[in-house]
């Protein structure tokens, strides 16, 4: 049976994990970053990769991490293969490009919160922040 705590929330709700979602948009061309390679790494002694994949046609990384599977409290890095993405799309960039791999380090303290990472980028820079998911 579910019990309520002093805050009025159930014990079941206390153990809910929010997850991490990633949405990438190539703002130089004004399109979702379909095919962009992304890696998510948990930073402990061994730097464990916990998610890897390509963004879909909407620029979203589809992975169980969205539902919180594999998410723990601690520090993370997300890596985006920007230079290879532009070369794959036929955009003229040098090899290596100015922005070859974009790396963003962030921490998760409250597992029940969802962490949405909107990644907006060009060959020359990027913006990434905690979005309102």
């Amino acid at each position: 049976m579910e019990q309520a705590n002093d805050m009025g929330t159930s014990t079941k709700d206390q153990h809910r994990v929010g997850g991490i979602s990633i949405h990438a948009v190539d703002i130089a061309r004004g399109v979702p970053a379909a095919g962009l390679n992304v890696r998510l790494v948990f930073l402990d002694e061994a730097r464990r990769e916990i998610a890897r994949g390509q963004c879909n046609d909407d620029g979203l990384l589809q992975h169980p991490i969205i539902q919180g599977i594999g998410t723990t409290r601690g520090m993370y890095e997300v890596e985006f293969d920007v230079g290879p993405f532009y070369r794959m799309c036929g955009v003229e960039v040098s090899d290596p490009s100015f922005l070859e791999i974009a790396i963003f380090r962030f921490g998760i303290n409250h597992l029940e919160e969802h962490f949405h990472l909107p990644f907006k980028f060009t060959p020359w820079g990027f913006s990434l922040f905690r979005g309102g998911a």
Side-chain angles (χ1 to χ4, degrees):
M1 181 174 168
E2 225 175 76
Q3 297 178 351
N5 65 16
D6 294 337
M7 306 278 291
T9 58
S10 72
T11 53
K12 180 181 175 187
D13 291 338
Q14 288 178 326
H15 301 292
R16 183 174 73 62
V17 179
I20 302 167
S21 58
I22 295 170
H23 183 216
V25 177
D26 171 3
I27 60 172
R29 297 182 307 141
V31 297
L36 175 69
N37 288 316
V38 179
R39 291 169 302 285
L40 183 63
V41 176
F42 183 73
L43 299 176
D44 58 8
E45 302 82 37
R47 281 187 55 91
R48 289 183 293 122
E49 185 177 281
I50 59 171
R52 169 187 289 263
Q54 289 187 337
C55 292
N56 66 15
D57 289 345
D58 295 324
L60 299 169
L61 179 65
Q62 294 297 324
H63 190 277
I65 199 82
I66 295 171
Q67 285 83 36
I69 297 169
T71 307
T72 58
R73 184 181 180 282
M75 294 301 299
Y76 292 81
E77 279 185 357
V78 61
E79 302 174 351
F80 301 91
D81 290 344
V82 175
F85 170 78
Y86 279 120
R87 286 190 288 279
M88 174 192 74
C89 293
V91 175
E92 192 173 323
V93 293
S94 60
D95 190 1
S97 61
F98 174 77
L99 184 57
E100 190 67 16
I101 299 173
I103 300 171
F104 185 78
R105 183 176 287 188
F106 65 99
I108 293 179
N109 188 32
H110 301 288
L111 285 175
E112 70 279 4
E113 297 176 0
H114 184 84
F115 290 80
H116 180 64
L117 304 177
F119 179 62
K120 316 297 184 200
F121 66 99
T122 74
W124 305 106
F126 68 94
S127 171
L128 199 153
F129 52 92
R130 182 177 176 190

